[in-house]
């Protein structure tokens, strides 16, 4: 349960420190590798570029964003069923695709220091 006292001390799960083997744990540093550029970021940049250049999303733009979504929903794991369950459909226009892309970047790249530049853009 979350109380008012520990509401602001929550951590992003992808950067948890309880499994670190380095002891003692320093407060301001960690041996965890910080991602500088992720493949999902490249795919999302590609989808955005395709949408902007063609003034409409292309099939390759949909494939790029759907590949990110499939991985996030576990649809690339062995034995996954209904792989296209969370794919974006190709009926989206320029503005709708751009909005979906911005939301996907927000969810996929959370806590990786990229949000501010996305908002400024």
């Amino acid at each position: 349960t979350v109380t008012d006292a520990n509401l602001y001390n929550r951590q992003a799960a992808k950067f948890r420190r309880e499994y670190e083997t380095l002891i003692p744990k320093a407060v301001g540093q960690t041996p965890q590798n910080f991602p500088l550029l992720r493949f999902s970021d490249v795919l999302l940049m590609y989808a955005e570029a395709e949408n902007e250049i063609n003034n409409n999303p292309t099939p390759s733009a949909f494939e790029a964003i759907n590949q990110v979504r499939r991985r996030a929903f576990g649809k690339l794991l062995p034995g996954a069923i209904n792989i296209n369950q969370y794919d974006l459909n190709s009926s989206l226009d320029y503005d709708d695709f751009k909005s979906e892309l911005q939301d996907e970047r927000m969810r996929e790249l959370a806590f990786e220091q990229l949000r501010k530049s996305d908002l400024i853009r």
Side-chain angles (χ1 to χ4, degrees):
T1 61
V2 177
T3 63
D4 290 339
N6 66 3
L7 181 64
Y8 299 104
N9 294 327
R10 295 182 289 180
Q11 301 289 329
K14 60 181 163 184
F15 296 120
R16 284 190 194 169
R17 299 192 65 193
E18 63 256 20
Y19 300 115
E20 286 181 12
T21 57
L22 183 67
I23 296 178
K25 295 178 184 175
V27 173
Q29 55 188 325
T30 173
Q32 291 180 331
N33 292 328
F34 189 82
L36 297 177
L37 183 64
R38 291 184 39 215
F39 184 57
S40 58
D41 189 15
V42 173
L43 288 171
L44 294 172
M45 285 189 287
Y46 175 77
E48 183 178 6
E50 283 286 312
N51 190 38
E52 293 294 328
I53 289 171
N54 299 305
N55 291 324
N56 230 1
T58 61
S60 60
F62 279 107
E63 181 56 34
I65 194 170
N66 286 334
Q67 189 174 351
V68 173
R69 293 172 63 90
R70 287 180 201 132
R71 188 217 45 88
F73 284 107
K75 296 300 182 177
L76 299 179
L77 295 172
I81 57 171
N82 198 4
I83 294 172
N84 301 325
Q85 180 178 4
Y86 299 105
D87 285 2
L88 295 178
N89 58 21
S90 59
S91 66
L92 297 176
D93 64 350
Y94 171 82
D95 291 324
D96 292 336
F97 185 81
K98 188 174 183 176
S99 177
E100 286 291 334
L101 187 65
Q102 289 170 346
D103 289 345
E104 193 63 36
R105 286 187 65 83
M106 173 193 61
R107 288 187 295 265
E108 181 67 26
L109 305 171
F111 303 104
E112 294 184 15
Q113 314 303 323
L114 299 171
R115 183 72 177 146
K116 183 178 179 181
S117 58
D118 281 350
L119 291 173
I120 290 171
R121 265 191 309 124

